[in-house]
């Protein structure tokens, strides 16, 4: 039986816009202050990972000294919030709006599912709030990616079974979470890094909507996923 893809779940940072660069810059400042080596390669492991967990990874067992863990989290967020002030609707990645509008035309249901506690503000500044039926952020579930909880909650709130949902993600943690939720995944970014996703595109401007849907339906139909 041919199945339909009806639920479309979008990660935020690094998928709808380049906020992952702002997370990187904010962590870089914290790392410099703590004299901990940090570069873009290390930042790859921070994608899709909660602020709390990122700091734990950054410290790597080090004692944060006089500044407490909580203070460092707040400081990182204040740096990050300084960077996101510059977000405007032009900050959306090329092709995103087109894909969102095509989904809508086809009657699909759309969610944002991000680990970020700044999701609401970023979505509003991007001017795309009304494009989503459901918005889930870092406050919506206890167990974050790679646990499947947030995507499963999105599927429930969209009223679309997990097997008919597709997740757009730039992080390995998010692609693993999609798989564990029993959902299809589309990686946005490097093919080499995201090769565990069902499909990978460098960006949304590379996506031919009908061709992508055709490929996803083929995967659903022939791989007999739940
Ligand atoms: P915040 P996503 C994630 O968002 C980022 O990828 C990750 O780098 C960040 O640490 C996390 O949000 C928490 O963000 O500090 O704003 O709460 O990729 O799931 O949209
Ligand atoms: Mg992301």
């Amino acid at each position: 039986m041919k199945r339909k893809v009806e639920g479309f779940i979008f990660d935020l940072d690094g998928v709808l816009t380049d906020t992952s660069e702002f997370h990187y810059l904010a962590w870089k400042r914290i790392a410099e202050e703590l004299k901990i080596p940090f570069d873009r390669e290390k930042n790859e492991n921070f994608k899709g990972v909660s602020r709390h967990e990122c700091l734990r990874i950054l410290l790597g067992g080090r004692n944060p000294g006089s500044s407490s863990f909580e203070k460092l989290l707040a400081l990182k967020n204040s740096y990050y919030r300084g960077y996101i002030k510059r977000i405007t609707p032009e900050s959306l990645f090329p092709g995103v709006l087109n894909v969102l509008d095509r989904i809508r035309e086809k009657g699909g249901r759309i969610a944002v599912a991000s680990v970020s506690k700044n999701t609401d503000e970023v979505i509003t500044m991007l001017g795309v709030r009304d494009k989503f039926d459901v918005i889930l952020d870092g406050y919506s579930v206890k167990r974050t990616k790679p646990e499947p909880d947030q995507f499963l909650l999105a599927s429930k709130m969209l009223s679309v079974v997990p097997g008919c949902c597709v997740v757009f993600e730039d992080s390995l943690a998010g692609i693993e979470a999609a798989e564990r939720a029993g959902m299809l995944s589309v990686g946005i970014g490097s093919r080499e890094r995201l090769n565990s996703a069902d499909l990978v595109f460098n960006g949304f401007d590379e996506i031919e909507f009908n061709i992508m849907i055709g490929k996803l339906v083929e995967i659903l139909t022939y791989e007999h996923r739940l």
Side-chain angles (χ1 to χ4, degrees):
M1 193 186 68
K2 226 177 176 189
R3 301 246 299 271
K4 266 178 96 175
V5 185
E6 292 170 310
F8 295 79
I9 302 172
F10 290 81
D11 173 50
L12 170 62
D13 296 326
V15 166
L16 298 183
T17 186
D18 198 15
T19 30
S20 41
E21 179 65 14
F22 298 150
H23 282 296
Y24 165 68
L25 294 173
W27 281 124
K28 179 98 182 119
R29 282 172 75 177
I30 295 285
E32 276 166 12
E33 284 164 27
L34 296 173
K35 301 196 172 26
I36 296 174
F38 186 71
D39 55 20
R40 286 180 191 280
E41 205 183 315
K42 290 198 172 127
N43 186 62
E44 285 303 314
N45 301 324
F46 283 21
K47 291 186 175 173
V49 174
S50 73
R51 195 184 314 159
H52 189 278
E53 183 61 12
C54 288
L55 181 55
R56 213 188 50 74
I57 299 171
L58 183 74
L59 292 172
R62 289 177 184 83
N63 186 331
S66 54
S67 11
S68 73
F69 197 88
E70 288 302 321
K71 274 190 193 154
L72 285 170
L73 288 178
L75 188 60
K76 187 271 173 177
N77 199 41
S78 73
Y79 291 157
Y80 178 69
R81 289 179 67 85
Y83 292 122
I84 62 174
K85 280 191 189 132
R86 54 182 91 156
I87 293 177
T88 69
E90 276 70 52
S91 314
L92 274 175
F93 278 139
V96 169
L97 267 187
N98 181 46
V99 169
L100 292 173
D101 290 342
R102 293 301 309 277
I103 296 169
R104 203 45 100 203
E105 272 165 39
K106 302 262 176 193
R109 308 258 301 144
I110 316 176
V112 161
S114 167
V115 176
S116 174
K117 292 182 172 167
N118 294 292
T119 296
D120 211 70
E121 188 158 358
V122 173
I123 291 289
T124 304
M125 291 168 88
L126 288 171
V128 289
R129 227 170 189 295
D130 62 341
K131 302 277 177 195
F132 300 98
D133 300 298
V134 169
I135 297 177
L136 295 178
D137 62 13
Y139 296 102
S140 63
V141 287
K142 276 207 185 110
R143 301 188 317 162
T144 52
K145 304 163 189 176
E147 299 295 337
D149 304 26
Q150 195 181 44
F151 292 153
L152 291 172
L153 180 61
S155 125
K156 197 169 163 194
M157 291 177 72
L158 291 174
S159 305
V160 178
V161 292
C164 293
C165 287
V166 58
V167 172
F168 294 83
E169 258 293 348
D170 69 319
S171 73
L172 288 174
I175 287 164
E176 184 182 333
E179 195 183 340
R180 287 164 69 178
M183 297 179 181
L184 293 160
S185 60
V186 173
I188 301 294
S190 132
R191 280 190 174 76
E192 267 173 26
R193 199 170 58 83
L194 303 175
N195 62 8
S196 51
D198 291 305
L199 299 177
V200 184
F201 298 97
N202 259 315
F204 284 92
D205 48 355
E206 234 187 38
I207 295 179
E208 296 266 10
F209 190 73
N210 287 338
I211 297 177
M212 176 185 73
I213 295 294
K215 285 186 181 162
L216 292 174
V217 169
E218 232 171 74
I219 295 170
L220 278 182
T221 311
Y222 298 107
E223 289 193 7
H224 304 292
R225 295 199 189 178
L226 282 179

